[in-house]
Amino acid sequence: MSTTELELDITGMTCASCANRIERKLTKLDGVTAEVNYATEKAHVSFPEATTTDDLIRTVEAAGYGARLPEPANDDRERHLRTLRVRLIWSIALSVPVVLLAMIPPLQFPGWQWVSLVLAVPVVVWGGSGFHRAAWTNLRHGAATMDTLVSVGTIAALGWSLYALFFGTAGMIGMTHGWSLLATHSDGSGSIYLEAAAGVTTFILAGRYIEARSKLRAGDALRALLDLGAKDVAVRAPDGSEERIPAERLRVGDEFVVRPGERIATDGVVIEGASAVDQSMVTGEPVPAEVGEGDAVVGGTIGVSGRLVVRATRVGSDTQLAQMAHLVEQAQASKAGAQRLADRVAGIFVPIVFVLAAATLATWLLLGQPAASAFTAAVAVLIIACPCALGLATPLALMIGTTRGAEQGILIKDAEALERAREIDTIVLDKTGTVTSGRMSVGEILPAEGEDAAEVLRIAAAVESASEHPIARAIVEAAGAGIPAVSDFRSLEGLGAQGIVDGRAVVIGRAQLLDQWAASLDDDLRARFDAAQGTGATVVAVAWDGRARGAIAVSDTIKPTSAEAVRELRALGLEPVLVTGDAEDPARTVAAEVGIERVIAGVLPADKVDVVRGLQQEGRSVAMVGDGVNDAAALAQADLGMAMGTGADVAIEASDLTLVRGDLRVAADAVRLSRRTLGIIRGNLFWAFAYNVAAIPLAALGLLAPMLAGAAMAFSSVFVVLNSLRLKRFH
């Protein structure tokens, strides 16, 4: 049965238990799975054909919340933030006098309690209206959330105060004898809690405002990333004339002009001109890269110097920029295992708190304590216990960490990748394109006796022209123009390739491949073949019509940053292992230069999976870094797959992390960022749990006044926000 996936924007959530409740409602539908993220306010839903989008939206609405398909505008969240700010400012202005009058006896004048009542009622009723509205909505659906706790607690405090003022002993004294000072009696009938009702509302409003502002700002970098594309573009017509059109009208194959200072409208290949291009928005690399004819460019980057003519190769949602944004959003919608536990706790937390509050009230009364003291302790329990911090612990840190990673050229696929990154102790590095530049060049042509070197290169290039392998590209570039056509091309994984050129059956690749074709190298060619390999070059043999005709030595340059990257990986406690399909000698030459001790050479693509699996069977937790099609299976097998963004799409799809910049040091940065983000998440969860474990008993024992409980509860959410924001400073 086929399924469809989509995201819904969710409105009306106020805590983790709201998200948990919506998730439960959605998953009760046949064949539907859902993950609801409180921080991003989105639901990622997978559903069968029998279920419609309207069914999903109605289910969310039936639970008392709002749902809609995603919209690019962010006006609703901005408007909600402005509303919260206005309520908070007025609540602070009205609450401060109430708190000061209650806490500082010298300020208390005759009738001060009635002034406090006039000031406190608007705060509780209007300032806290969002809590009361949500609590009523949930009550109608037979549910309870954090808003229920706050609403019941503040209304109870206000209600008790009204009773004390109008019907209690002290209240009667005040009404009978005019503006007399309210006295608190031992039976508690004269106690008022206006400062608690107003203070708690204001503190929680402040926490809610900071939380909403942080959630909104945490996504700013991602939204900025999506806005980086050019708005219009100069398209070149076949006659050389130019026309400016909206960028969204570009099509694959269109040629467009990029002048200095302009953004490149979409992904493409330079067909004319040269320029330095600022690619920092996708790679995190501050130094502009020089590009010329034949080089690929990424939409959203900026041409710094010369004029370019670019042929569009990808448009719309297929561009690298769009795919980066999609990966970041996908990661932000995911949940770590620890967060799933927190969500389950939050789902049952509120009912437990009501039971604890009722038990607190009953216990105090049974022990013969004053009703006011029993009431105070029960209200404090209601207010102190809030699952908000639990709900924010993972998603907010994940939002900031993944967005910061995108700014640095690191794309994290999901939260589980972060958890795996913490455990890895071994990192497998593919050689070509990862440790080395992958930009190979022909160094030497070794013709067999009686053969022409140019002809060997020409025939080899004809076969390799159908391949995307770096060695193949180097041979084709060396041959230049005049390469004949190839037919019946076939790639032989890890061994080479074959095809028909000018009516001749040609094979090119390893010496073993020629042995299989009964076209082995003669002694002289074998000696020169081995000597070239000994210099660190990769050597491929060429044969046709049943005879070895020569060999071509291709060399690759080690990236200047690879040695430093290996040192950084070792400093993180990882053992690097170099894996390559190349022969032993060139592989060890490269490994020695960058500081890698363990080398596994002559590995076929299928064997890379076996190498990773073998390391895992040794008890190691393995990360794999690669960039080619032949790395995809090993990337998927590894505990943590890291694909170079300069590589093949299938490798990127199979990986857990994508390193946009072709610099191995980014792999070390990715591990550091993953570990830092997961550390922040675990710290958030620890303090969120520890806060409730410590605070609820204090409140139940009467050691925490309701107003202080409200302040502590708001601070728990603020702490999670501030702790998560530390990730913005990651470099």
Side-chain angles (χ1 to χ4, degrees):
M1 182 175 60
S2 62
T3 60
T4 303
E5 293 188 5
L6 62 72
E7 281 194 343
L8 294 174
D9 287 339
I10 305 296
T11 58
M13 291 192 297
T14 55
C15 65
S17 55
C18 295
N20 186 269
R21 182 160 174 264
I22 296 170
E23 201 169 279
R24 289 200 314 271
K25 292 288 186 181
L26 286 170
T27 52
K28 284 182 180 178
L29 298 174
D30 288 340
V32 174
T33 60
E35 281 194 345
V36 180
N37 191 309
Y38 170 53
T40 60
E41 297 180 355
K42 291 181 181 293
H44 183 81
V45 189
S46 175
F47 56 98
E49 292 178 354
T51 303
T52 67
T53 303
D54 289 341
D55 293 334
L56 301 174
I57 292 174
R58 280 195 295 270
T59 300
V60 175
E61 290 174 344
Y65 303 91
R68 67 184 180 204
L69 292 172
E71 297 177 0
N74 205 37
D75 293 343
D76 285 352
R77 296 179 75 176
E78 290 280 6
R79 187 161 47 248
H80 174 63
L81 190 65
R82 287 195 296 271
T83 301
L84 275 177
R85 183 165 56 243
V86 170
R87 290 182 187 275
L88 176 60
I89 291 171
W90 279 103
S91 295
I92 291 173
L94 296 172
S95 297
V96 168
V98 177
V99 174
L100 292 177
L101 286 171
M103 304 296 289
I104 306 176
L107 297 179
Q108 296 171 356
F109 52 86
W112 65 271
Q113 64 272 34
W114 300 101
V115 174
S116 293
L117 177 65
V118 171
L119 296 174
V121 167
V123 175
V124 176
V125 176
W126 176 74
S129 60
F131 307 132
H132 309 316
R133 192 182 305 113
W136 173 247
T137 299
N138 285 305
L139 180 62
R140 284 166 45 211
H141 291 88
T145 66
M146 168 236 170
D147 291 294
T148 311
L149 298 176
V150 175
S151 180
V152 170
T154 54
I155 289 176
L158 178 63
W160 182 277
S161 300
L162 289 171
Y163 170 79
L165 282 170
F166 286 98
F167 303 108
T169 305
M172 295 302 294
I173 293 172
M175 287 187 290
T176 304
H177 297 95
W179 300 95
S180 62
L181 186 65
L182 179 63
T184 301
H185 296 271
S186 59
D187 64 356
S189 60
S191 297
I192 61 172
Y193 297 96
L194 294 173
E195 80 285 356
V200 165
T201 301
T202 302
F203 278 128
I204 297 175
L205 264 179
R208 186 69 60 82
Y209 172 74
I210 293 171
E211 175 187 314
R213 187 175 183 274
S214 298
K215 288 196 295 184
L216 187 65
R217 299 295 174 252
D220 278 352
L222 178 59
R223 286 185 288 276
L225 189 67
L226 290 169
D227 290 338
L228 282 176
K231 306 306 177 190
D232 56 25
V233 58
V235 176
R236 189 172 74 170
D239 62 3
S241 63
E242 296 180 17
E243 178 189 3
R244 295 205 78 86
I245 64 171
E248 59 266 21
R249 284 174 52 191
L250 266 179
R251 296 293 179 265
V252 172
D254 286 350
E255 296 178 4
F256 60 93
V257 178
V258 182
R259 294 178 172 81
E262 287 186 337
R263 288 196 183 276
I264 297 173
T266 194
D267 296 359
V269 175
V270 178
I271 60 172
E272 185 181 310
S275 174
V277 176
D278 179 357
Q279 300 179 332
S280 58
M281 47 74 66
V282 292
T283 66
E285 176 59 59
V287 180
E290 296 291 336
V291 300
E293 290 185 26
D295 290 331
V297 290
V298 178
T301 56
I302 302 171
V304 176
S305 52
R307 175 180 179 274
L308 297 174
V309 179
V310 180
R311 180 179 292 115
T313 56
R314 294 180 180 180
V315 296
S317 60
D318 293 330
T319 63
Q320 183 171 331
L321 185 64
Q323 290 174 355
M324 285 176 63
H326 173 71
L327 282 172
V328 175
E329 288 180 328
Q330 178 179 306
Q332 292 180 351
S334 64
K335 292 184 180 181
Q339 180 62 25
R340 291 191 178 94
L341 172 62
D343 286 351
R344 286 196 294 272
V345 171
I348 61 172
F349 194 71
V350 174
I352 291 174
V353 170
F354 274 111
V355 171
L356 290 175
T360 299
L361 179 65
T363 301
W364 277 70
L365 292 175
L366 289 173
L367 292 175
Q369 298 298 315
S373 299
F375 175 80
T376 300
V379 169
V381 168
L382 285 176
I383 292 169
I384 195 69
C386 169
C388 262
L390 288 177
L392 286 172
T394 291
L396 191 59
L398 194 60
M399 284 177 69
I400 297 170
T402 52
T403 304
R404 184 61 182 152
E407 293 172 342
Q408 299 290 310
I410 303 164
L411 301 181
I412 301 169
K413 183 171 286 187
D414 56 36
E416 292 179 353
L418 298 178
E419 295 182 319
R420 293 194 295 272
R422 189 179 184 89
E423 307 300 329
I424 62 171
D425 52 36
T426 304
I427 184 161
V428 175
L429 306 175
D430 177 57
K431 182 176 80 70
T432 304
T434 301
V435 176
T436 63
S437 66
R439 298 295 295 266
M440 294 189 166
S441 59
V442 172
E444 187 178 8
I445 302 171
L446 311 170
E449 185 177 354
E451 299 293 338
D452 178 59
E455 181 67 2
V456 170
L457 178 62
R458 189 180 78 92
I459 298 300
V463 176
E464 297 289 32
S465 64
S467 172
E468 289 297 318
H469 194 281
I471 292 176
R473 289 199 298 268
I475 293 173
V476 172
E477 287 175 7
I483 299 173
V486 61
S487 60
D488 295 334
F489 172 82
R490 184 178 164 202
S491 176
L492 307 170
E493 277 197 2
L495 292 173
Q498 67 183 56
I500 305 296
V501 180
D502 293 340
R504 292 176 285 191
V506 183
V507 61
I508 178 170
R510 296 186 181 198
Q512 301 97 296
L513 179 59
L514 270 67
D515 292 340
Q516 294 176 13
W517 276 56
S520 300
L521 281 64
D522 59 36
D523 292 343
D524 174 65
L525 186 55
R526 169 68 72 176
R528 287 186 289 153
F529 186 100
D530 292 342
Q533 278 194 332
T535 66
T538 298
V539 187
V540 294
V542 185
W544 63 79
D545 292 341
R547 181 183 164 205
R549 306 288 177 161
I552 301 174
V554 180
S555 59
D556 189 6
T557 55
I558 296 172
K559 293 179 182 178
T561 57
S562 291
E564 181 184 347
V566 170
R567 288 194 295 271
E568 291 182 10
L569 291 168
R570 287 190 182 279
L572 290 168
L574 307 179
E575 180 189 352
V577 178
L578 187 68
V579 175
T580 178
D582 287 349
E584 186 83 12
D585 288 342
R588 290 209 171 273
T589 300
V590 170
E593 191 166 334
V594 299
I596 298 176
E597 297 173 2
R598 188 168 180 181
V599 178
I600 305 175
V603 178
L604 296 174
D607 294 338
K608 289 185 180 181
V609 177
D610 294 334
V611 168
V612 172
R613 191 179 293 121
L615 291 168
Q616 291 170 329
Q617 289 170 352
E618 292 176 14
R620 296 172 179 267
S621 183
V622 182
M624 167 78 185
V625 185
D627 74 329
V629 172
N630 62 358
D631 298 323
L635 287 167
Q637 173 64 36
D639 298 290
L640 183 72
M642 291 189 275
M644 291 292 198
T646 51
D649 289 348
V650 66
I652 294 171
E653 186 62 31
S655 67
D656 301 301
L657 302 177
T658 299
L659 315 177
V660 178
R661 195 160 76 243
D663 184 340
L664 190 56
R665 290 178 300 178
V666 184
D669 291 338
V671 173
R672 272 194 291 268
L673 175 62
S674 298
R675 290 180 176 180
R676 180 82 60 82
T677 304
L678 188 60
I680 292 288
I681 288 172
R682 291 188 171 182
N684 286 348
L685 288 171
F686 170 79
W687 287 111
F689 277 113
Y691 158 81
N692 281 298
V693 168
I696 291 177
L698 291 176
L701 292 171
L703 301 177
L704 206 58
M707 186 174 65
L708 293 178
M713 189 271 278
F715 177 75
S716 70
S717 292
V718 173
F719 172 82
V720 165
V721 168
L722 296 177
N723 194 40
S724 299
L725 287 173
R726 292 166 52 206
L727 285 166
K728 283 198 168 187
R729 299 196 298 269
F730 176 84
H731 291 285

